[in-house]
Amino acid sequence: MPLEVTLSEQQDQALRGYLATLVRDEIDRVRDDEKLNMLVYTRKNLAKACGISPATVDKWQKLGLKVAYVGNTPYYTADAVKSFFRERTI
C-alpha cells in the first residue's frame, strides 16, 4: 500500500525548492569533476577548466603544483592537479 503525504502549499514549495537545490548542486559537482577528466592540461586550458586566470595557475605552480615543460610550454597532468588539491584540502 503506497504512503500518501499531504503537504500545505508552503511545505510543498519548500520541498520543491530543497529538491531543486540538491539536484542543481549535484549537477554542478559532476560538471566540476568532468573538468578534471583531461589527462594533460596546458596553462590556459587548466585555468579555463578551474574557472581561474592563468596567473592563478602560475601561483599554484609556485605553491607546488607539478609541471612538465615541452619546449617553453608548461603542461600539468590531471594527477598532479588532483594531488595538489588533495594536499590543500582540510
Side-chain angles (χ1 to χ4, degrees):
M1 180 159 197
L3 175 67
E4 187 174 315
V5 177
T6 304
L7 301 173
S8 70
E9 183 65 31
Q10 183 180 4
Q11 291 170 321
D12 181 64
Q13 290 302 315
L15 181 59
R16 287 175 187 270
Y18 175 73
L19 292 174
T21 299
L22 282 177
V23 170
R24 208 172 10 251
D25 289 349
E26 184 62 14
I27 289 170
D28 288 344
R29 186 192 65 75
V30 169
R31 284 182 179 157
D32 288 343
D33 288 348
E34 285 298 313
K35 290 177 185 175
L36 290 176
N37 278 342
M38 292 179 67
L39 295 177
V40 178
Y41 294 90
T42 62
R43 179 176 168 261
K44 185 177 178 179
N45 64 22
L46 177 58
K48 184 175 181 180
C50 294
I52 59 171
S53 72
T56 301
V57 174
D58 296 339
K59 289 177 188 175
W60 288 355
Q61 188 177 325
K62 290 177 184 174
L63 291 172
L65 176 60
K66 293 181 182 173
V67 61
Y69 286 90
V70 175
N72 291 329
T73 306
Y75 289 93
Y76 309 88
T77 66
D79 288 340
V81 173
K82 290 175 186 178
S83 176
F84 179 77
F85 286 132
R86 252 192 314 270
E87 292 168 3
R88 281 149 187 81
T89 301
I90 298 174

